Amino acid sequence: MLTIQITTGSDVPIFRQIVEQIRAAIAGGKLRTGAPLPSVRGLANELVINHNTVAKAYSQLTRDGVIESQQGRGYFVVQRREIFTKAERVRRVNALVAPLVSEAVLLGFSEPELVSLVQKQFAKVMSDPQGKTS
Amino acid sequence: MLTIQITTGSDVPIFRQIVEQIRAAIAGGKLRTGAPLPSVRGLANELVINHNTVAKAYSQLTRDGVIESQQGRGYFVVQRREIFTKAERVRRVNALVAPLVSEAVLLGFSEPELVSLVQKQFAKVMSDPQGKTS
Amino acid sequence: MLTIQITTGSDVPIFRQIVEQIRAAIAGGKLRTGAPLPSVRGLANELVINHNTVAKAYSQLTRDGVIESQQGRGYFVVQRREIFTKAERVRRVNALVAPLVSEAVLLGFSEPELVSLVQKQFAKVMSDPQGKTS
Amino acid sequence: MLTIQITTGSDVPIFRQIVEQIRAAIAGGKLRTGAPLPSVRGLANELVINHNTVAKAYSQLTRDGVIESQQGRGYFVVQRREIFTKAERVRRVNALVAPLVSEAVLLGFSEPELVSLVQKQFAKVMSDPQGKTS
DNA sequence: GTGGTCTAGACCACC
DNA sequence: GTGGTCTAGACCACG
């Protein structure tokens, strides 16, 4: 059973939170190839959000080749492919690392403090990909 | 000499690109306490954007307490001081750590790999005050 | 029901008048945690001003952590939390205390007279949550 | 000897700081009727600011009837008159008290804490109108 | 419907 | 010269 948790009022849009959590669930092995996703309207009901928002998330995942729709049956996880080269993957992560480090330095964090926060978050994500305890 | 580079048509707004580059310059010591920033309209001219966009970036940096305006003289880098509570500082950094870790996991990075990238960036920022190698 | 009143042509900018009235409404309990604010464009229409001016006011309140925007839904009053260090909070209040005392001295007020005015205003704000008598 | 101290980078313009400090000096009895003010260029030199700024301050004080210029001799303090009614004076002070109390409440200050800050500032102004120790 | 960003251009205050 | 404010109007993203 897949549990999605959204935070309203964040700067990251709801549809993207759904996208990210489903990708993380797949990456973490919680959703395997061929597994079914919650129905659009079912998930929308559960999260108390507009069903267009869920549809948008699924549509984006479909476009990215992560899931696929089977007419009348629902959405299912597709065989995942590695699309990015190592350099590209590093580039993408570093795009987030740079502003993080700037902000941390300006806020007075030391390197070990920052690393500790990263490790803590990493542990949290790996042990609880659906965010049940967050 | 401070050079700002922006890419229009990116998903990250221009004013935020400016904010982040200036924050990075200050965090990295390229802009020291008391140093003047490019004038609002001067920078706008240089980047071929509207001056309000630069003003918005500067205004945001001012609210965050990293620069200040001196009427009729310009903007200057401010002495760093502890503005936020520890909890708030952690909250702000974690707001950047969370999406970073999600992305890293999604891209298949291990925790040590990610930590290493963070440490590398941290070292780069701290050890290259003049920005000669960047 | 929240009513904002502005006076154009004053020396205090419109966006700041809005900021102060909303801060007062929240401090006085007229706007409680979770309560929605008037929409940016709606309020702009009502006050017959540009929507950017309202947006600027709301943006400032957001940076100060008293309200938050929920994309596509509107602005809402935020749970109060300790954002600033004690020193910063004192600094911010003193920035308002100093000109007040200068003005009061200039106008010939004694210290007890001024303190009494402050206490009266404090009592008014705290004891009139619905704003019925204001 | 009159000592003026200015804070650059504040939100209150320099010329207004000069105006306020001279008014306070007169209100506090440090400058009596007929006393000479520092010369425009002398004060500008001392404060390392543009002499137009000092001229603007003196011009405003002259317009308000607080000082007067005697051609070729300099500026002198004029007999001070009470211009405002009691109600008007209270209104003027309360215009500053209201936003102060809102801000203080939102920052979590209690009434005694705020009163204490006001008293402290009051004592400071009365004992040291020229700000020598600030 | 909501907010977010950006432009072009105006007018003002300060130094 | 500097920054600060405001307008009118456009285009986009989100729900």
Side-chain angles (χ1 to χ4, degrees):
Chain A
M1 175 55 192
L2 180 63
T3 311
I4 304 275
Q5 293 218 349
I6 57 170
T7 336
T8 160
S10 150
D11 60 334
V12 36
I14 295 174
F15 86 90
R16 193 183 303 273
Q17 295 184 42
I18 297 173
V19 167
E20 297 284 315
Q21 288 190 39
I22 289 176
R23 297 186 90 130
I26 295 171
K30 308 287 176 185
L31 276 181
R32 301 184 177 283
T33 301
L37 273 72
S39 77
V40 169
R41 289 186 137 76
L43 185 54
N45 259 337
E46 193 184 318
L47 301 179
V48 197
I49 59 178
N50 194 298
H51 68 267
N52 288 325
T53 306
V54 178
K56 184 167 187 176
Y58 281 15
S59 140
Q60 179 154 329
L61 287 163
T62 303
R63 178 171 57 69
D64 293 350
V66 176
I67 65 176
E68 66 178 10
S69 100
Q70 296 181 12
Q71 264 298 358
R73 295 190 55 233
Y75 282 86
F76 298 84
V77 177
V78 160
Q79 174 70 44
R80 210 154 162 273
R81 310 155 289 177
E82 279 293 325
I83 355 177
F84 300 130
T85 65
K86 173 75 177 176
E88 173 67 9
R89 287 161 58 225
V90 168
R91 201 193 59 75
R92 288 195 158 224
V93 166
N94 269 339
L96 296 176
V97 168
L100 165 64
V101 170
S102 292
E103 174 83 353
V105 167
L106 286 181
L107 286 173
F109 284 91
S110 71
E111 192 233 62
E113 284 174 325
L114 177 56
V115 165
S116 163
L117 287 175
V118 170
Q119 289 172 327
K120 223 162 97 184
Q121 177 67 21
F122 207 102
K124 190 173 148 198
V125 165
M126 295 312 284
S127 73
D128 181 35
Q130 282 81 48
K132 279 180 186 165
T133 63
S134 76
Chain B
M1 174 55 191
L2 180 65
T3 45
I4 306 274
Q5 294 203 343
I6 58 168
T7 47
T8 83
S10 150
D11 60 331
V12 37
I14 298 174
F15 85 92
R16 192 182 301 276
Q17 295 182 40
I18 298 173
V19 166
E20 278 170 13
Q21 288 186 43
I22 290 178
R23 292 183 84 102
I26 296 174
K30 293 183 196 72
L31 276 180
R32 300 184 177 285
T33 299
L37 275 74
S39 80
V40 170
R41 283 162 167 84
L43 184 54
N45 259 335
E46 195 183 311
L47 300 179
V48 197
I49 58 177
N50 190 276
H51 63 87
N52 284 326
T53 305
V54 178
K56 187 171 184 176
Y58 280 14
S59 151
Q60 189 137 328
L61 288 162
T62 301
R63 292 169 252 141
D64 289 351
V66 300
I67 65 176
E68 70 176 11
S69 102
Q70 294 181 11
Q71 252 295 15
R73 306 220 309 116
Y75 276 89
F76 299 85
V77 178
V78 125
Q79 172 73 44
R80 201 148 78 221
R81 55 176 199 272
E82 288 279 303
I83 292 180
F84 299 114
T85 61
K86 175 75 177 176
E88 180 68 11
R89 285 161 55 223
V90 168
R91 207 184 62 80
R92 287 182 173 233
V93 167
N94 269 339
L96 297 176
V97 168
L100 165 65
V101 170
S102 291
E103 180 77 359
V105 167
L106 173 67
L107 291 173
F109 283 89
S110 71
E111 192 231 63
E113 284 174 326
L114 177 56
V115 165
S116 162
L117 287 176
V118 169
Q119 289 173 326
K120 221 164 96 185
Q121 176 66 20
F122 207 103
K124 186 176 156 201
V125 164
M126 299 306 285
S127 71
D128 184 29
Q130 303 335 317
K132 281 177 188 164
T133 64
S134 76
Chain C
M1 175 56 193
L2 180 64
T3 45
I4 306 274
Q5 294 202 343
I6 58 168
T7 48
T8 85
S10 151
D11 60 331
V12 37
I14 297 174
F15 85 92
R16 192 181 301 275
Q17 295 182 41
I18 297 173
V19 166
E20 279 171 11
Q21 289 186 42
I22 290 178
R23 291 181 85 101
I26 296 173
K30 293 183 194 73
L31 276 180
R32 302 184 176 284
T33 299
L37 274 73
S39 81
V40 170
R41 283 161 166 84
L43 184 55
N45 259 335
E46 195 183 312
L47 300 179
V48 197
I49 59 176
N50 190 278
H51 63 86
N52 284 326
T53 305
V54 178
K56 187 171 186 177
Y58 280 15
S59 151
Q60 187 136 329
L61 288 163
T62 301
R63 292 168 252 139
D64 289 351
V66 302
I67 65 177
E68 70 177 12
S69 100
Q70 295 181 11
Q71 251 296 15
R73 306 221 309 114
Y75 276 91
F76 299 85
V77 178
V78 126
Q79 174 72 45
R80 200 149 79 219
R81 54 175 199 270
E82 289 279 304
I83 292 180
F84 300 114
T85 59
K86 175 75 177 175
E88 180 69 11
R89 286 161 54 223
V90 167
R91 208 184 62 83
R92 288 181 172 234
V93 166
N94 270 339
L96 296 176
V97 167
L100 165 64
V101 169
S102 291
E103 181 77 0
V105 168
L106 174 67
L107 291 173
F109 284 89
S110 71
E111 191 231 65
E113 283 173 326
L114 177 56
V115 164
S116 162
L117 287 176
V118 170
Q119 289 173 326
K120 221 164 97 186
Q121 176 66 20
F122 208 102
K124 186 176 157 199
V125 164
M126 299 306 285
S127 70
D128 184 30
Q130 304 334 315
K132 282 176 186 164
T133 63
S134 77
Chain D
M1 175 56 193
L2 181 63
T3 310
I4 303 276
Q5 293 219 347
I6 58 170
T7 335
T8 159
S10 149
D11 59 334
V12 37
I14 297 175
F15 88 90
R16 193 183 301 274
Q17 294 183 43
I18 297 173
V19 166
E20 297 282 317
Q21 288 190 40
I22 289 177
R23 298 186 88 131
I26 295 171
K30 309 288 177 186
L31 276 181
R32 300 184 179 282
T33 301
L37 273 72
S39 78
V40 169
R41 288 187 137 74
L43 185 55
N45 259 338
E46 192 184 318
L47 300 179
V48 197
I49 59 178
N50 194 298
H51 68 266
N52 287 326
T53 306
V54 178
K56 183 167 188 176
Y58 281 14
S59 139
Q60 179 155 329
L61 286 163
T62 304
R63 179 171 56 68
D64 293 350
V66 176
I67 65 177
E68 66 178 11
S69 101
Q70 295 180 14
Q71 264 298 0
R73 297 191 54 233
Y75 281 87
F76 297 85
V77 177
V78 161
Q79 173 70 44
R80 206 148 168 280
R81 310 154 290 176
E82 279 292 328
I83 356 177
F84 300 130
T85 65
K86 172 74 175 178
E88 173 67 8
R89 288 160 58 225
V90 168
R91 201 192 60 74
R92 288 194 159 223
V93 167
N94 269 338
L96 296 176
V97 168
L100 165 64
V101 170
S102 291
E103 174 83 352
V105 167
L106 285 182
L107 287 173
F109 283 92
S110 70
E111 190 232 63
E113 284 174 325
L114 177 56
V115 164
S116 162
L117 287 175
V118 170
Q119 289 172 328
K120 222 162 98 185
Q121 177 66 18
F122 207 102
K124 188 172 149 198
V125 165
M126 295 313 284
S127 72
D128 181 33
Q130 282 80 46
K132 277 180 190 166
T133 63
S134 77

